[in-house]
Amino acid sequence: NAGVTQTPKFRILKIGQSMTLQCTQDMNHNYMYWYRQDPGMGLKLIYYSVGAGITDKGEVPNGYNVSRSTTEDFPLRLELAAPSQTSVYFCASRTTDRGGQPQHFGDGTRLSIL
Amino acid sequence: DQQVKQNSPSLSVQEGRISILNCDYTNSMFDYFLWYKKYPAEGPTFLISISSIKDKNEDGRFTVFLNKSAKHLSLHIVPSQPGDSAVYFCAANPQGGSEKLVFGKGTKLTVNP
């Protein structure tokens, strides 16, 4: 079972470059999320989606954009990469918004901005 | 302002002993608490959860205790195994159908053989 798949696993960008982090899930989950994890810190929510065509900002959305054209895919776009965006990015999904329902995470994309 | 706090960055225990990981929260408006385990170079994986209306939930070697008056929860692992060595995150789900899980900073558990 693939679950949540993130690509690429690693990437180095130069300041000012742009890129898209890909996330796809095969569990038919409506709810999808993007987090970033900085060293020694917890996960912070960047953007989330409650279904195709619906997205909303999380705690740290500045410098990022998302789209959700299908249930399966939830790409995260960095338009002008900055050193502060060096982090590990995790995509997650879950089937409902019930509080006890866990989120399923991908293995992350490690991004360095130099 | 941290709403979910894991004050111990690391914990080391001997194989076979009990591991106790702690988590404190400041907001009484959480309806569920979840624990995730994370190995290096992998994403977090769900371990166990507890509803705010309960005080204990058990799943095999893992038990989570919730003390609402103290705004404190703990994860007990008995007996601890070397494969339990990982970073453990506490997360809280706000009431009202909010999507925004709040995570602690994590505690790195090392179980020594």
Side-chain angles (χ1 to χ4, degrees), chain A residues 31 33 35 37 40-43 45 48 50 57-58 90 94 97-103 105-107, chain B residues 31-32 34 36 38 41-46 49 87 89 93 97-106:
Chain A
Y31 299 84
Y33 311 83
Y35 294 91
Q37 185 191 13
M41 303 296 288
L43 282 73
L45 184 65
Y48 66 97
V50 301
K57 295 178 181 179
F90 291 101
R94 70 175 172 174
D97 64 349
R98 284 176 54 198
Q101 192 66 230
Q103 296 181 10
F105 285 82
D107 285 339
Chain B
D31 63 357
Y32 273 90
L34 303 90
Y36 286 83
K38 185 184 179 305
E42 294 184 9
T45 55
F46 170 72
S49 66
V87 177
F89 290 99
N93 191 88
S98 169
E99 295 304 306
K100 302 178 184 179
L101 267 185
V102 182
F103 283 85
K105 292 184 179 182

Short mmCIF file of all heavy atoms in Angstrom, two decimals, chain A residues 31 33 35 37 40-43 45 48 50 57-58 90 94 97-103 105-107, chain B residues 31-32 34 36 38 41-46 49 87 89 93 97-106:
data_model
loop_
_atom_site.label_atom_id
_atom_site.label_comp_id
_atom_site.label_asym_id
_atom_site.label_seq_id
_atom_site.Cartn_x
_atom_site.Cartn_y
_atom_site.Cartn_z
N TYR A 31 -9.27 14.97 3.30
CA TYR A 31 -8.51 15.98 4.03
C TYR A 31 -7.01 15.79 3.82
O TYR A 31 -6.48 14.70 4.03
CB TYR A 31 -8.84 15.91 5.53
CG TYR A 31 -10.29 16.16 5.82
CD1 TYR A 31 -11.22 15.14 5.73
CD2 TYR A 31 -10.72 17.43 6.18
CE1 TYR A 31 -12.56 15.37 5.97
CE2 TYR A 31 -12.06 17.67 6.43
CZ TYR A 31 -12.97 16.64 6.32
OH TYR A 31 -14.30 16.88 6.55
N TYR A 33 -2.95 17.84 4.13
CA TYR A 33 -2.24 18.86 4.91
C TYR A 33 -0.79 18.97 4.46
O TYR A 33 -0.20 17.98 4.04
CB TYR A 33 -2.24 18.48 6.41
CG TYR A 33 -3.57 18.08 6.96
CD1 TYR A 33 -4.05 16.78 6.80
CD2 TYR A 33 -4.37 19.00 7.64
CE1 TYR A 33 -5.29 16.41 7.29
CE2 TYR A 33 -5.61 18.63 8.14
CZ TYR A 33 -6.06 17.34 7.95
OH TYR A 33 -7.29 16.98 8.44
N TYR A 35 2.82 20.30 6.23
CA TYR A 35 3.51 20.77 7.42
C TYR A 35 4.98 21.03 7.09
O TYR A 35 5.52 20.44 6.16
CB TYR A 35 3.48 19.72 8.53
CG TYR A 35 2.14 19.40 9.11
CD1 TYR A 35 1.34 18.39 8.58
CD2 TYR A 35 1.67 20.10 10.23
CE1 TYR A 35 0.11 18.09 9.13
CE2 TYR A 35 0.44 19.79 10.79
CZ TYR A 35 -0.33 18.79 10.24
OH TYR A 35 -1.55 18.48 10.79
N GLN A 37 8.74 21.05 9.33
CA GLN A 37 9.37 20.78 10.61
C GLN A 37 10.79 21.32 10.58
O GLN A 37 11.63 20.86 9.82
CB GLN A 37 9.40 19.28 10.92
CG GLN A 37 9.94 19.02 12.32
CD GLN A 37 10.25 17.58 12.61
OE1 GLN A 37 10.29 16.74 11.71
NE2 GLN A 37 10.46 17.27 13.88
N GLY A 40 14.49 20.63 15.87
CA GLY A 40 14.14 20.79 17.28
C GLY A 40 12.75 21.35 17.52
O GLY A 40 12.42 21.70 18.66
N MET A 41 11.96 21.41 16.47
CA MET A 41 10.62 21.99 16.60
C MET A 41 9.56 20.97 16.22
O MET A 41 9.84 19.95 15.58
CB MET A 41 10.49 23.22 15.67
CG MET A 41 11.53 24.29 15.93
SD MET A 41 11.36 25.03 17.56
CE MET A 41 9.87 26.00 17.32
N GLY A 42 8.33 21.27 16.61
CA GLY A 42 7.22 20.44 16.19
C GLY A 42 6.79 20.76 14.77
O GLY A 42 7.39 21.61 14.11
N LEU A 43 5.77 20.08 14.33
CA LEU A 43 5.26 20.32 12.98
C LEU A 43 4.35 21.55 12.99
O LEU A 43 3.50 21.69 13.87
CB LEU A 43 4.48 19.11 12.48
CG LEU A 43 5.29 17.92 11.99
CD1 LEU A 43 5.93 17.18 13.14
CD2 LEU A 43 4.43 16.99 11.17
N LEU A 45 1.62 23.75 10.63
CA LEU A 45 0.73 23.61 9.49
C LEU A 45 0.89 24.78 8.53
O LEU A 45 0.79 25.94 8.93
CB LEU A 45 -0.71 23.52 9.97
CG LEU A 45 -1.78 23.28 8.92
CD1 LEU A 45 -1.60 21.91 8.26
CD2 LEU A 45 -3.17 23.39 9.55
N TYR A 48 -3.93 23.54 4.30
CA TYR A 48 -4.68 22.31 4.33
C TYR A 48 -5.84 22.39 3.35
O TYR A 48 -6.18 23.48 2.84
CB TYR A 48 -5.19 21.98 5.74
CG TYR A 48 -6.21 22.94 6.31
CD1 TYR A 48 -7.57 22.67 6.25
CD2 TYR A 48 -5.80 24.11 6.94
CE1 TYR A 48 -8.50 23.53 6.79
CE2 TYR A 48 -6.72 24.98 7.49
CZ TYR A 48 -8.07 24.68 7.41
OH TYR A 48 -8.99 25.55 7.95
N VAL A 50 -9.84 20.52 2.57
CA VAL A 50 -10.90 19.63 3.04
C VAL A 50 -11.58 18.90 1.87
O VAL A 50 -12.54 18.15 2.08
CB VAL A 50 -11.94 20.38 3.88
CG1 VAL A 50 -11.27 21.02 5.09
CG2 VAL A 50 -12.67 21.42 3.06
N LYS A 57 -5.49 28.45 4.67
CA LYS A 57 -4.19 28.70 5.27
C LYS A 57 -4.09 28.06 6.65
O LYS A 57 -5.05 27.99 7.40
CB LYS A 57 -3.96 30.21 5.40
CG LYS A 57 -3.87 30.93 4.07
CD LYS A 57 -3.69 32.44 4.28
CE LYS A 57 -3.64 33.15 2.94
NZ LYS A 57 -3.49 34.62 3.11
N GLY A 58 -2.86 27.65 6.96
CA GLY A 58 -2.57 27.17 8.29
C GLY A 58 -1.85 28.22 9.09
O GLY A 58 -2.06 29.42 8.92
N PHE A 90 6.35 17.84 5.29
CA PHE A 90 5.55 16.62 5.35
C PHE A 90 4.15 16.89 4.83
O PHE A 90 3.52 17.89 5.19
CB PHE A 90 5.44 16.11 6.79
CG PHE A 90 6.73 15.57 7.33
CD1 PHE A 90 7.50 16.33 8.18
CD2 PHE A 90 7.17 14.30 6.98
CE1 PHE A 90 8.69 15.85 8.68
CE2 PHE A 90 8.37 13.81 7.47
CZ PHE A 90 9.13 14.59 8.33
N ARG A 94 -6.13 12.51 5.90
CA ARG A 94 -6.99 11.69 6.75
C ARG A 94 -8.38 11.64 6.16
O ARG A 94 -8.76 12.49 5.36
CB ARG A 94 -7.01 12.17 8.20
CG ARG A 94 -7.70 13.46 8.49
CD ARG A 94 -7.71 13.65 10.02
NE ARG A 94 -8.19 14.96 10.42
CZ ARG A 94 -8.40 15.34 11.66
NH1 ARG A 94 -8.15 14.50 12.66
NH2 ARG A 94 -8.83 16.54 11.96
N ASP A 97 -12.88 14.52 9.48
CA ASP A 97 -12.39 15.57 10.37
C ASP A 97 -12.71 15.26 11.83
O ASP A 97 -12.62 16.12 12.69
CB ASP A 97 -12.96 16.93 9.98
CG ASP A 97 -14.48 16.97 10.14
OD1 ASP A 97 -15.10 15.90 10.36
OD2 ASP A 97 -15.05 18.06 10.04
N ARG A 98 -13.07 14.00 12.11
CA ARG A 98 -13.32 13.63 13.51
C ARG A 98 -12.02 13.72 14.29
O ARG A 98 -10.99 13.26 13.83
CB ARG A 98 -13.89 12.23 13.59
CG ARG A 98 -15.34 12.14 13.19
CD ARG A 98 -15.81 10.71 13.20
NE ARG A 98 -15.53 10.09 14.50
CZ ARG A 98 -15.50 8.78 14.69
NH1 ARG A 98 -15.70 7.96 13.68
NH2 ARG A 98 -15.25 8.28 15.88
N GLY A 99 -12.07 14.29 15.49
CA GLY A 99 -10.85 14.59 16.22
C GLY A 99 -9.91 13.44 16.44
O GLY A 99 -8.71 13.59 16.39
N GLY A 100 -10.43 12.25 16.70
CA GLY A 100 -9.57 11.11 16.99
C GLY A 100 -9.03 10.42 15.76
O GLY A 100 -8.20 9.52 15.88
N GLN A 101 -9.45 10.84 14.62
CA GLN A 101 -9.00 10.20 13.37
C GLN A 101 -7.57 10.65 13.08
O GLN A 101 -7.30 11.84 12.90
CB GLN A 101 -9.91 10.61 12.23
CG GLN A 101 -9.76 9.80 10.95
CD GLN A 101 -10.19 8.36 11.13
OE1 GLN A 101 -9.48 7.45 10.76
NE2 GLN A 101 -11.39 8.17 11.69
N PRO A 102 -6.63 9.71 12.99
CA PRO A 102 -5.23 10.12 12.80
C PRO A 102 -4.95 10.56 11.38
O PRO A 102 -5.63 10.17 10.44
CB PRO A 102 -4.46 8.84 13.13
CG PRO A 102 -5.40 7.74 12.79
CD PRO A 102 -6.76 8.26 13.14
N GLN A 103 -3.94 11.37 11.25
CA GLN A 103 -3.43 11.74 9.94
C GLN A 103 -2.35 10.75 9.52
O GLN A 103 -1.59 10.26 10.35
CB GLN A 103 -2.86 13.17 9.98
CG GLN A 103 -3.92 14.21 10.28
CD GLN A 103 -3.37 15.63 10.30
OE1 GLN A 103 -2.24 15.86 9.90
NE2 GLN A 103 -4.19 16.57 10.73
N PHE A 105 1.01 10.26 7.27
CA PHE A 105 2.06 11.12 6.76
C PHE A 105 2.88 10.44 5.67
O PHE A 105 3.10 9.22 5.71
CB PHE A 105 3.01 11.55 7.89
CG PHE A 105 2.44 12.57 8.80
CD1 PHE A 105 1.60 12.22 9.84
CD2 PHE A 105 2.73 13.92 8.63
CE1 PHE A 105 1.07 13.17 10.70
CE2 PHE A 105 2.21 14.88 9.46
CZ PHE A 105 1.37 14.51 10.50
N GLY A 106 3.36 11.27 4.74
CA GLY A 106 4.40 10.83 3.83
C GLY A 106 5.75 10.88 4.53
O GLY A 106 5.85 11.30 5.68
N ASP A 107 6.79 10.45 3.80
CA ASP A 107 8.12 10.39 4.40
C ASP A 107 8.89 11.70 4.33
O ASP A 107 10.03 11.77 4.79
CB ASP A 107 8.94 9.27 3.75
CG ASP A 107 8.51 7.90 4.22
OD1 ASP A 107 7.89 7.83 5.32
OD2 ASP A 107 8.77 6.91 3.52
N ASP B 31 -10.27 18.29 22.08
CA ASP B 31 -11.15 17.15 22.32
C ASP B 31 -10.47 15.79 22.16
O ASP B 31 -10.99 14.78 22.62
CB ASP B 31 -12.41 17.23 21.43
CG ASP B 31 -12.09 17.18 19.95
OD1 ASP B 31 -10.89 17.13 19.59
OD2 ASP B 31 -13.04 17.18 19.14
N TYR B 32 -9.34 15.78 21.49
CA TYR B 32 -8.57 14.55 21.35
C TYR B 32 -7.10 14.87 21.46
O TYR B 32 -6.65 15.95 21.07
CB TYR B 32 -8.82 13.89 19.98
CG TYR B 32 -10.01 12.96 19.95
CD1 TYR B 32 -11.26 13.46 19.61
CD2 TYR B 32 -9.89 11.62 20.26
CE1 TYR B 32 -12.36 12.63 19.57
CE2 TYR B 32 -10.98 10.78 20.23
CZ TYR B 32 -12.22 11.29 19.89
OH TYR B 32 -13.32 10.48 19.86
N LEU B 34 -3.31 12.93 20.56
CA LEU B 34 -2.73 11.84 19.78
C LEU B 34 -1.23 11.79 20.01
O LEU B 34 -0.58 12.82 20.22
CB LEU B 34 -3.01 12.04 18.28
CG LEU B 34 -4.48 12.15 17.85
CD1 LEU B 34 -4.95 13.61 17.86
CD2 LEU B 34 -4.68 11.56 16.46
N TYR B 36 2.30 10.40 18.14
CA TYR B 36 2.91 9.92 16.91
C TYR B 36 4.35 9.54 17.21
O TYR B 36 5.02 10.15 18.05
CB TYR B 36 2.91 11.01 15.82
CG TYR B 36 1.56 11.27 15.21
CD1 TYR B 36 0.65 12.13 15.82
CD2 TYR B 36 1.21 10.69 13.99
CE1 TYR B 36 -0.58 12.38 15.24
CE2 TYR B 36 -0.01 10.94 13.41
CZ TYR B 36 -0.91 11.78 14.04
OH TYR B 36 -2.12 12.03 13.46
N LYS B 38 8.16 8.89 15.32
CA LYS B 38 8.87 9.23 14.09
C LYS B 38 10.29 8.68 14.12
O LYS B 38 11.08 9.03 15.01
CB LYS B 38 8.89 10.75 13.89
CG LYS B 38 9.53 11.15 12.56
CD LYS B 38 9.63 12.63 12.42
CE LYS B 38 10.30 13.01 11.10
NZ LYS B 38 11.61 12.38 10.91
N ALA B 41 14.32 10.04 8.85
CA ALA B 41 14.08 9.95 7.41
C ALA B 41 12.72 9.34 7.07
O ALA B 41 12.52 8.88 5.93
CB ALA B 41 15.19 9.20 6.69
N GLU B 42 11.82 9.27 8.03
CA GLU B 42 10.47 8.79 7.76
C GLU B 42 9.47 9.83 8.27
O GLU B 42 9.80 10.70 9.09
CB GLU B 42 10.21 7.46 8.45
CG GLU B 42 11.04 6.31 7.90
CD GLU B 42 10.68 4.99 8.54
OE1 GLU B 42 9.68 4.92 9.27
OE2 GLU B 42 11.41 4.01 8.29
N GLY B 43 8.22 9.68 7.83
CA GLY B 43 7.18 10.55 8.36
C GLY B 43 6.67 10.03 9.69
O GLY B 43 6.88 8.88 10.04
N PRO B 44 6.00 10.89 10.46
CA PRO B 44 5.39 10.44 11.71
C PRO B 44 4.34 9.37 11.44
O PRO B 44 3.64 9.42 10.44
CB PRO B 44 4.74 11.71 12.27
CG PRO B 44 5.43 12.84 11.58
CD PRO B 44 5.78 12.32 10.23
N THR B 45 4.25 8.41 12.35
CA THR B 45 3.21 7.39 12.27
C THR B 45 2.38 7.43 13.54
O THR B 45 2.91 7.59 14.64
CB THR B 45 3.78 5.98 12.06
OG1 THR B 45 4.72 5.71 13.11
CG2 THR B 45 4.48 5.85 10.74
N PHE B 46 1.09 7.28 13.37
CA PHE B 46 0.16 7.34 14.49
C PHE B 46 0.39 6.16 15.43
O PHE B 46 0.57 5.02 14.99
CB PHE B 46 -1.27 7.33 13.96
CG PHE B 46 -2.31 7.16 15.03
CD1 PHE B 46 -2.58 8.18 15.91
CD2 PHE B 46 -3.00 5.96 15.14
CE1 PHE B 46 -3.55 8.03 16.89
CE2 PHE B 46 -3.97 5.79 16.11
CZ PHE B 46 -4.23 6.82 16.99
N SER B 49 -4.34 7.29 20.57
CA SER B 49 -5.04 8.55 20.87
C SER B 49 -5.92 8.37 22.10
O SER B 49 -6.15 7.25 22.56
CB SER B 49 -5.88 8.99 19.68
OG SER B 49 -6.93 8.06 19.46
N VAL B 87 11.57 9.52 17.87
CA VAL B 87 11.05 10.78 18.42
C VAL B 87 9.54 10.64 18.54
O VAL B 87 8.87 10.20 17.61
CB VAL B 87 11.40 11.98 17.52
CG1 VAL B 87 10.77 13.26 18.08
CG2 VAL B 87 12.91 12.13 17.40
N PHE B 89 5.94 12.50 19.26
CA PHE B 89 5.24 13.79 19.25
C PHE B 89 3.87 13.63 19.89
O PHE B 89 3.13 12.70 19.58
CB PHE B 89 5.05 14.30 17.82
CG PHE B 89 6.31 14.72 17.14
CD1 PHE B 89 6.97 13.88 16.26
CD2 PHE B 89 6.85 15.98 17.36
CE1 PHE B 89 8.14 14.26 15.63
CE2 PHE B 89 8.02 16.39 16.75
CZ PHE B 89 8.66 15.52 15.88
N ASN B 93 -6.03 17.98 19.24
CA ASN B 93 -7.02 18.37 18.24
C ASN B 93 -8.04 19.32 18.87
O ASN B 93 -8.74 18.93 19.81
CB ASN B 93 -7.74 17.13 17.72
CG ASN B 93 -8.58 17.44 16.51
OD1 ASN B 93 -8.12 17.38 15.38
ND2 ASN B 93 -9.84 17.78 16.73
N GLY B 97 -14.32 20.68 15.21
CA GLY B 97 -14.03 20.26 13.85
C GLY B 97 -12.87 20.98 13.21
O GLY B 97 -12.69 20.94 12.01
N SER B 98 -12.06 21.66 14.02
CA SER B 98 -10.91 22.35 13.46
C SER B 98 -9.94 21.36 12.84
O SER B 98 -9.73 20.26 13.35
CB SER B 98 -10.19 23.15 14.54
OG SER B 98 -8.94 23.61 14.07
N GLU B 99 -9.33 21.75 11.73
CA GLU B 99 -8.35 20.91 11.07
C GLU B 99 -6.96 21.04 11.66
O GLU B 99 -6.06 20.32 11.29
CB GLU B 99 -8.29 21.29 9.59
CG GLU B 99 -9.57 21.00 8.86
CD GLU B 99 -9.93 19.55 9.01
OE1 GLU B 99 -9.09 18.70 8.68
OE2 GLU B 99 -11.05 19.27 9.48
N LYS B 100 -6.77 21.96 12.56
CA LYS B 100 -5.41 22.37 12.91
C LYS B 100 -4.90 21.63 14.14
O LYS B 100 -4.95 22.14 15.24
CB LYS B 100 -5.38 23.88 13.11
CG LYS B 100 -5.84 24.62 11.87
CD LYS B 100 -5.88 26.13 12.05
CE LYS B 100 -6.43 26.78 10.79
NZ LYS B 100 -6.52 28.24 10.92
N LEU B 101 -4.38 20.44 13.91
CA LEU B 101 -3.68 19.72 14.98
C LEU B 101 -2.53 20.58 15.49
O LEU B 101 -1.80 21.18 14.70
CB LEU B 101 -3.10 18.42 14.44
CG LEU B 101 -3.89 17.13 14.54
CD1 LEU B 101 -3.05 15.97 14.04
CD2 LEU B 101 -4.37 16.86 15.94
N VAL B 102 -2.35 20.60 16.81
CA VAL B 102 -1.25 21.34 17.42
C VAL B 102 -0.25 20.33 17.95
O VAL B 102 -0.59 19.47 18.75
CB VAL B 102 -1.75 22.24 18.57
CG1 VAL B 102 -0.59 23.04 19.16
CG2 VAL B 102 -2.85 23.18 18.06
N PHE B 103 1.00 20.44 17.47
CA PHE B 103 2.03 19.47 17.84
C PHE B 103 2.98 20.04 18.87
O PHE B 103 3.31 21.23 18.86
CB PHE B 103 2.85 19.10 16.60
CG PHE B 103 2.17 18.13 15.67
CD1 PHE B 103 1.29 18.58 14.70
CD2 PHE B 103 2.42 16.77 15.76
CE1 PHE B 103 0.65 17.70 13.85
CE2 PHE B 103 1.79 15.88 14.91
CZ PHE B 103 0.91 16.35 13.95
N GLY B 104 3.46 19.16 19.75
CA GLY B 104 4.59 19.49 20.61
C GLY B 104 5.88 19.37 19.83
O GLY B 104 5.90 18.93 18.68
N LYS B 105 7.01 19.72 20.48
CA LYS B 105 8.30 19.70 19.80
C LYS B 105 8.91 18.31 19.73
O LYS B 105 9.89 18.11 19.01
CB LYS B 105 9.27 20.64 20.51
CG LYS B 105 8.90 22.10 20.39
CD LYS B 105 9.96 22.98 21.04
CE LYS B 105 9.61 24.45 20.88
NZ LYS B 105 10.65 25.33 21.46
N GLY B 106 8.37 17.38 20.48
CA GLY B 106 8.87 16.01 20.41
C GLY B 106 9.84 15.67 21.52
O GLY B 106 10.51 16.54 22.09
#
